[in-house]
Amino acid sequence: MEVLKEIENAKIVPVVVIDDEKDALPLAEAMMKGGINIAEITFRTSAAKGAIELISKKCPDMLVGAGTVLTIGQVDEAVKAGAKFIVTPGSNPKVIEYCVKNNIIIIPGCANPSNVELALENGLNVVKFFPAEQAGGIGYIKAISAPYGNVRFMPTGGISPKNVENYLKEKCIIACGGSWMVKKDLIKEGKFDEITKLCNEASELANKYK
Ligand code: 3PG
């Protein structure tokens, strides 16, 4: 299935910060047990690349992307490790153009109309909205989507089980990103059963909007 379609079908995309590669497979297994088959592994730690590589190789049912990608070098590393999509926090024209030119799926971070227009200029109509809650939440997204009817947003930042449905029910939302079900500390402390439980709850919420 096409990657963006898979993201749309997933509805909730866990944003993972992983400190130690050894946690990658137990984490992926815990997530899949909880009904979640997608992860955005952020390039905020040196373990990101190895984690993407391990999960891509050993868990073929998991769709793995790379998040917090800031440079072309990181795009290359992520893709080489097996990442199927790239997510950026901001609208870096060099990174966007590089991905588009090389047919790499990119969901660039947008927080205003100018960012959205840069994405459109590059032929992209799926963007991340970051930081979602802090930048104005669903009200702001609905307002900026008015002139850009064909753009779909993946809000991330400050999203939780308490507010995720406010986003998911809107047509302009392709999926929501969030870290609440894969919190860094839960991974670090090996609380994989808790991760499965939170993923289960998240996938039940997602299922309501599929
Ligand atoms: C991101 O990493 O893209 C977001 O900051 C995740 O935000 P959250 O931790 O508030 O879900």
Side-chain angles (χ1 to χ4, degrees):
M1 203 195 301
E2 197 214 323
V3 169
L4 291 175
K5 197 83 210 151
E6 283 188 60
I7 291 172
E8 180 177 25
N9 285 350
K11 290 286 169 216
I12 291 179
V13 178
V15 176
V16 176
V17 179
I18 190 163
D19 280 325
D20 193 332
E21 249 180 72
K22 77 164 173 36
D23 293 327
L25 292 179
L27 170 68
E29 275 151 23
M31 291 171 72
M32 289 191 289
K33 220 166 133 189
I36 291 201
N37 286 50
I38 183 165
E40 174 191 324
I41 314 266
T42 60
F43 262 70
R44 283 174 215 182
T45 64
S46 54
K49 193 180 145 203
I52 292 172
E53 200 159 8
L54 274 171
I55 300 173
S56 307
K57 273 202 188 121
K58 306 271 184 193
C59 310
D61 291 339
M62 193 88 176
L63 178 66
V64 190
T68 323
V69 173
L70 305 180
T71 64
I72 288 173
Q74 286 176 334
V75 173
D76 285 338
E77 280 185 57
V79 170
K80 198 165 163 221
K84 297 288 186 300
F85 61 95
I86 300 290
V87 183
T88 62
S91 289
N92 179 327
K94 283 189 196 156
V95 171
I96 293 174
E97 280 162 27
Y98 181 78
C99 287
V100 170
K101 200 172 132 206
N102 291 286
N103 294 317
I104 298 164
I105 309 275
I106 176 166
I107 305 180
C110 289
N112 59 49
S114 303
N115 296 159
V116 174
E117 290 191 20
L118 178 69
L120 287 172
E121 189 78 19
N122 282 279
L124 305 174
N125 63 1
V126 174
V127 300
K128 169 171 168 157
F129 179 71
F130 175 77
E133 278 292 290
Q134 299 83 347
I138 188 61
Y140 188 92
I141 299 177
K142 278 163 81 175
I144 54 172
S145 38
Y148 312 116
N150 63 337
V151 175
R152 313 273 315 272
F153 294 84
M154 181 169 82
T156 310
I159 297 187
S160 72
K162 286 198 181 96
N163 57 20
V164 69
E165 292 187 78
N166 297 340
Y167 291 91
L168 290 179
K169 66 180 190 214
E170 299 297 337
K171 231 180 142 182
C172 56
I173 303 300
I174 186 165
C176 285
S179 66
W180 77 87
M181 70 307 272
V182 288
K183 283 265 174 256
K184 198 175 159 180
D185 289 348
L186 293 178
I187 301 173
K188 221 175 191 165
E189 291 160 22
K191 294 188 172 160
F192 296 110
D193 288 346
E194 178 69 12
I195 289 174
T196 296
K197 183 177 154 261
L198 292 168
C199 284
N200 245 318
E201 288 164 8
S203 64
E204 270 172 31
L205 280 174
N207 285 341
K208 285 165 71 175
Y209 297 90
K210 287 184 185 175

